[in-house]
Structure formats: C-alpha cells, structure tokens
Amino acid sequence: MRQTQLFTKTRREAPRDEVAKNAELLIRAGYIHKEMAGVYSYLPLGLRVLNKIVNIIRDEMNAVGGQELLLASLQNKETWERSDRWDDGKVDVWFKTAIKNGNETGLAFTHEEPLTNIMRDHIRSFRDLPIAAYQFQTKFRNEVRAKSGIMRSREFLMKDLYTFCRDEKEQGEYYERLKEAYVRVFDRLGIGAETFVTFASGGSFSKYSHEFQTITDAGEDIIYVDNTKRIAINKEVYNDEVLSDLGVNKSDLKEMKAVEVGNIFNLGTKFSDALGLNYKDENGESKPVFMGSYGIGPGRVMGTIVELRSDDKGIVWPESVTPFAIHLVLIEGKDDKARNAADRLYRELIAKNIEVLYDDRSLSAGEKFSDSDLIGIPKRYVISDKTLASGSVEVKDRMTGKVEMVMVDSVCK
Ligand code: ATP
Ligand code: MG
C-alpha cells in the first residue's frame, strides 16, 4: 500500500481524553478512532492488525477441531430467562432495548445460552459428541470502568468457543487440548513470555478455571507468579489451600499486575440443565451434555501488545501481527533517482507477495521517520540518494535500532 493512498493521518499530540497508553498510541498512529468512552472503531491499519490476531486464533481453534459459526447479537429474552441470567440483578453488564412490538431484547455479552439452545436441534446421540463451535463476534458489556483503552471497551470482538461433550472426562480432555492451544496462540502472538496460565475461581462445576494473564502495569488484575513453574494464581482465589493444591511455595511467588487476555471454563451441565440440552447414550438413556467455554479478546490482545511493545517513539509490532512486514521509506533527492529506485523496489516486493507500506509522500526525512517509528512496523527499508550512492538500501530494525546496508539488487533475492 502506498502511504499517499492511506487516508489515515498520524498526529503528534496525545488525545486529551485518553489515559491508556495503548489507545493513545493507536489513535496517534491512526489505527483506531475513539467513538466515545469505551467504544472504538478500527481503521485500515488497525483492522489489519486485528485480522492477523484473529487469523492466528482461528488457525489454532481449527487445529483442535473447532467449527466456526456466527451467532446473532440481539438476544431472545426467553432463552436467558431459562438460565436466570436475564435479570439485571443477576447480570449487571446488559445493554437492553425495546422492540417496536413491545418486547425487549438485549445485546449479547456472551453466548452460552443461545448456542446451547441451538445445539438442542443438532445433538441427538453420543455419536454426535464431542463438538467444538466458535465465533469471532462483537460483544456488548456495560462496563462501569472503561479507562484501559481497547483493553476494556463496552463493545469488543471476542473469540468464544464452546465445547459439548458426553461426560466430565471427555470435557476435561477437551479442556486440556484447548489450554494447550491457548499457549500456542499467545506464543504466536508474541506475548508468550509474559503470559501465565493462572488459576482462578471455577464456579460450581470445577474448583478452578484458568485465565491467561499477561504481565503488564496496565493490567487491572493482581496475580501471584511462580516463574519457574510458569503458573500463577489470581488474587481472587489466593489462599493456603490453593497453594497446597498447586504445590507452590509462598516464597516462590511474586505479586504482579496483569491483564486477562483469555479465559477457559468448565461449565459442567449448568447450561444444558437449564435449557434442556440432552443426548442419548449407548443404552438409549437421556443424559445432559457437559460443556466448556473458552474466550479470547482480540482487541484486548492488541492493546496488551501495544502496552508491552512500545517505546517513547511509538509502537513496535511483533512480526506475526504487524500491519505490514516492511515499511519502505523514500527520502527524495534533487532528481527522481531515489523515487524511481523506491518505486521499483516496491513493485518487486509486492510481486513477491510481501506486505509493504510504502511511504511515497513528499515530506521531510524527519517527519517520515517519526511517523514510521510511531506506526511501528518492525522492519524499515530506507532509500535515498545517500544509500543509492553505494547501490544500497538501509535496513533498520525498529526494536533494536540496528542498521544494515543491503545492496538494492539483493533485497528481493
Ligand atoms: P474481565 O475479568 O477482565 O472483566 P471477563 O472475565 O469478564 O473479563 P470473559 O467473559 O471471560 O471476560 O471474556 C473472555 C475474554 O474477552 C477475556 O479474556 C478478554 O480477553 C475479553 N474481554 C472481556 N471483557 C472485555 C472488554 N470489556 N473489552 C475487551 N475485551 C474483553
Ligand atoms: Mg475474568
């Protein structure tokens, strides 16, 4: 993409009403637009990053047998009354609105109920199980505090997967497969080193659930980390009993701030009992389906990456989620020599299916470099009269700042 064609502009000043570093940098670099408190739109650069995150998650969900679908946002009140989660006293994040026929509807903040209800039409016998179904879908939550930028918004994309199994054992096995898939997801997203499988409260069906918590001061959670064992305990459940369950010593734990980027949950038969989701076992007996739910917030992940991978100049994207692999920056000279060379290299890179953002604008080197630092593409190629004097391109690593001169002819080899 040529930067002269990119409609978004960078800006020098931080937006005045934004306190979160992630949103501040993403707005300044033109990735997102703040609609209102806790509500953000994704602009072309932002959507490219979001889609990369989504595709890594999708790949790993497909690898464990997940089938993708897309559920409705508007919710049927009756479905939620059956699980007793319609009442605002039970769930305090609902956005609800009236339908013109006098009925009420709510905007989905999660999808256990509607999917359990759908599965009643499709699950009959033990032969149908297990099933894993997932989606990338917009959730709405009337969050009280929305001061963490895209890490906690009132409208956000969620990957939610649900498993449907014959019994506790099968459900437990699927849960382990998903836990491993989640470890791979966060590794591939470039935040594996800071992300810990964290024991959290489990609800009525299992003692613990597992959160994937990423260490950052921008996080709203407190966790206790055992760095050697690579596990952590959420403060909410931190006590002597949990320590002995997990076989960890108090002295090995470090208190840290973290953000929950993912969450996996054994649901048991809570929703299948409430909504009547049963199957016939080998003996023709009716049994309730065992369920699990597994969430990741791609927007929250994107915000977390920015919190972790940025410096005073801007963002430093990991290669796996960068909007473009290369930022090609032309520094114009007195004649067309540099522009012609940059145009040619751009075409060659495109022909090799390499994703390039080409800064072909007529601006000063200083303006272009500071924009490039802000946007944060990990690899920068600079072409100027000076680099061409030795027939080369300057290749700069955004993270280390290391510079290398590479012959123009060999860049695409
Ligand atoms: P939290 O405890 O942070 O409020 P949660 O436990 O309510 O989150 P889940 O219901 O488990 O979150 O949602 C699954 C995933 O969706 C979370 O792990 C997180 O990545 C993401 N998520 C949840 N709430 C938000 C939000 N308000 N904005 C962006 N992402 C969110
Ligand atoms: Mg949580």
Side-chain angles (χ1 to χ4, degrees), residues 4 18 22 31 58 76 141 156 173 200 208 232 234 254 271 273 283 292 305 309 317 329-330 342 347 363 376:
T4 45
E18 193 58 69
N22 66 84
Y31 284 87
R58 177 178 284 132
N76 182 344
R141 292 186 184 180
F156 60 95
E173 286 162 5
Y208 303 111
N234 193 307
K254 216 171 149 190
F271 294 96
D273 286 341
N283 308 314
I305 292 172
R309 310 276 180 261
W317 293 111
V329 179
L330 156 71
R347 283 194 302 270
L363 290 176

Side-chain angles (χ1 to χ4, degrees), residues 242-274:
V242 178
L243 289 176
S244 86
D245 273 3
L246 306 182
V248 297
N249 296 317
K250 224 177 207 151
S251 55
D252 295 334
L253 296 175
K254 216 171 149 190
E255 185 182 292
M256 305 197 104
K257 285 178 87 176
V259 58
E260 179 206 303
V261 286
N263 197 348
I264 64 175
F265 230 94
N266 269 310
L267 300 170
T269 57
K270 179 175 168 185
F271 294 96
S272 44
D273 286 341

Side-chain angles (χ1 to χ4, degrees), residues 141 143 151-153 156 158 260-263 295-297 300:
R141 292 186 184 180
E143 303 270 4
M151 291 163 74
R152 183 178 297 286
S153 45
F156 60 95
M158 191 197 285
E260 179 206 303
V261 286
N263 197 348
I296 299 180
R300 183 176 285 187

Side-chain angles (χ1 to χ4, degrees), residues 178-346:
L178 273 145
K179 197 200 282 173
E180 286 160 20
Y182 269 45
V183 172
R184 288 192 295 274
V185 163
F186 296 113
D187 278 344
R188 288 178 63 182
L189 290 170
I191 54 172
E194 294 94 342
T195 303
F196 289 84
V197 174
T198 303
F199 289 76
S201 86
S204 46
F205 273 92
S206 59
K207 199 162 179 189
Y208 303 111
S209 68
H210 293 93
E211 295 172 339
F212 286 75
Q213 292 272 4
T214 307
I215 305 298
T216 165
D217 281 338
E220 296 175 9
D221 295 350
I222 303 286
I223 63 169
Y224 295 90
V225 177
D226 185 328
N227 212 351
T228 326
K229 292 204 171 77
R230 295 287 310 164
I231 57 171
I233 303 166
N234 193 307
K235 189 176 186 173
E236 288 170 1
V237 298
Y238 178 78
N239 60 41
D240 289 336
E241 190 193 324
V242 178
L243 289 176
S244 86
D245 273 3
L246 306 182
V248 297
N249 296 317
K250 224 177 207 151
S251 55
D252 295 334
L253 296 175
K254 216 171 149 190
E255 185 182 292
M256 305 197 104
K257 285 178 87 176
V259 58
E260 179 206 303
V261 286
N263 197 348
I264 64 175
F265 230 94
N266 269 310
L267 300 170
T269 57
K270 179 175 168 185
F271 294 96
S272 44
D273 286 341
L275 288 131
L277 175 62
N278 301 303
Y279 72 97
K280 291 252 184 313
D281 74 5
E282 288 89 334
N283 308 314
E285 250 179 81
S286 181
K287 292 266 173 69
V289 172
F290 276 73
M291 291 173 55
S293 70
Y294 314 79
I296 299 180
R300 183 176 285 187
V301 167
M302 182 168 157
T304 304
I305 292 172
V306 174
E307 294 286 341
L308 293 176
R309 310 276 180 261
S310 51
D311 56 25
D312 52 350
K313 299 196 192 88
I315 305 167
V316 189
W317 293 111
E319 265 170 43
S320 59
V321 304
T322 182
F324 293 91
I326 290 166
H327 201 177
L328 173 61
V329 179
L330 156 71
I331 307 300
E332 277 176 312
K334 284 186 272 323
D335 53 24
D336 282 345
K337 202 172 127 212
R339 181 171 289 276
N340 290 340
D343 279 357
R344 199 176 325 118
L345 182 57
Y346 176 59

Side-chain angles (χ1 to χ4, degrees), residues 13 34 37 44 51 91 105 114 116 165 193 201 233 271 290 352 369:
E13 299 82 34
K34 184 175 188 170
N51 282 338
V91 172
T105 185
T116 306
C165 297
S201 86
I233 303 166
F271 294 96
F290 276 73
K352 293 233 156 189
F369 290 150

